[in-house]
Amino acid sequence: MKRLVIKNKQNMHVEVLDWGCRIIALKVPDKSGRLIDAVLNYPNLADYKNDPYYVGGTVGRYANRIAQGRFTLEQLPIQLTTNEKIEKNHLHGGEIGFDKRYWNVVDITDNAIEMTLTSLHGEEGYPGMLIANTRYELSDDNELTIKYTAKSTQTTIANITNHSYFNLSDEQLSIDGHEIKVEANFYTPLDLYHLPKYPFKEKVDNTVFDLRQFKDVGHIKDVICNANYCIEKKEGNQVQRVATILHIETGRQLTIFSDYPSLQVYFGNYLTGKLLPFQGLCCEPHFAPNSPNIITYPSAILKPGEEYCHVIRYQFENF
C-alpha cells in the first residue's frame, strides 16, 4: 500500500492511500496554526485491509444500498452481489467494491492527486466496463475538492462518493459537542433495513429530521442514526452547500458542498473494534439509496458516450 501526501500553502495536507483511493488523514490548521486531523483513521495501514466500515474510502460502483441487489436496466433484469448477509442487499459496491481495490496514480502535484480504477464488465454483477477517476485537489483557502469522473462501455449505473468519518474535536473520542446543519427541506423515510419506503420523500417540517437550523449532535444521533436527505437542485446543476458541521468548543467548522441530488448522514452508531460508536460523523453526497428501483428519484444511469462527473468540496474554517 502506498501513502501519498498533498499540501497547500497554509500547510493543510491530505494523505491518500492507493488501497481504496481513501483519505487516511485530513489535517487542517486551527486558530493557532496547529494541525488537527479532521477524520477518523486506523492506527496501522494494515487495518484498512480488513476495514468493514469503509473508513475514508471511495465507494462504488454504487454507493449505499440496492434492495436485494436487483433492478431493471433497459428492460433487462440485473442481479448484483448481495453483501449485506441478513438483509440480502447490495451495499457500497458489493463484496469487492472500489474501496477494496488498488487504484493507480495517473497524476500527482504538490496540491493534487488523481487516481484511476478499471471495473470490468460483470464485476459484482454490473454491466459494462467502467473506468473511474478520482481527483483530490487542495486550494489555498483550505478547501479539498473531490472530482469523480467515469465512462462505461455499456449502459450501467454509477454512484461514487467518499466515506470519511468527520470529528473536529481534539480527542476525537465522540461526536458529542458537534452541531450539524443540513440544507434540505425533504428527507427519505427508511425502513428497518435502511431502504427508502413509500412515499419515498417527505417534508422535514415538525420532525427530528429537520436540520435546517443547527442541531446538537448529542441530542439527535440515537434518534436519526442514518438518514438520506433530498437536495433541491439549483439552476444549472451547480455545486451548492449541502451541510455544515461545527465543533463549538474548538471553534472549527466544516462546510460540505456538492452537486449530487442526495446526502446521507450517518452518526457512526455501529462502529466497533478499533473505532467507537458515535466517534465519527459521515456526510456522503450521492444518489439516493435504491434509486434504480424508484423512478421518482434522480437517475444514476450512465450510458456509453456519456461522462459521469460529480464534485464534493470540503471547506474548513475557524470561527
Side-chain angles (χ1 to χ4, degrees), residues 38 46 49 53 73 90-91 122 229 272 283 300 319:
K49 279 295 184 83
Y53 301 116
L73 191 63
H90 179 83
L91 175 64
Y229 287 88
T272 59
C283 285
F319 63 86

Side-chain angles (χ1 to χ4, degrees), residues 34-51:
R34 180 172 61 99
L35 287 181
I36 62 106
D37 201 342
V39 296
L40 298 189
N41 41 49
Y42 287 114
N44 302 302
L45 291 186
D47 294 329
Y48 289 100
K49 279 295 184 83
N50 301 304
D51 165 39

Side-chain angles (χ1 to χ4, degrees), residues 169-197:
S169 67
D170 283 325
E171 78 290 338
Q172 284 204 322
L173 296 178
S174 171
I175 52 175
D176 287 354
H178 289 72
E179 294 188 359
I180 185 171
K181 179 181 180 181
V182 176
E183 314 282 341
N185 296 318
F186 296 89
Y187 76 102
T188 300
L190 301 178
D191 65 18
L192 293 176
Y193 304 118
H194 306 287
L195 289 165
K197 63 182 181 180

Side-chain angles (χ1 to χ4, degrees), residues 77-89:
I78 303 295
Q79 178 65 65
L80 305 179
T81 54
T82 52
N83 54 317
E84 277 198 311
K85 300 306 179 187
I86 298 176
E87 299 87 351
K88 300 294 184 183
N89 296 323

Side-chain angles (χ1 to χ4, degrees), residues 108-133:
I108 185 166
T109 64
D110 289 344
N111 71 323
I113 183 170
E114 186 172 337
M115 293 186 177
T116 188
L117 175 75
T118 298
S119 174
L120 298 177
H121 169 70
E123 284 184 358
E124 303 295 328
Y126 288 101
M129 181 178 73
L130 185 87
I131 298 176
N133 280 60

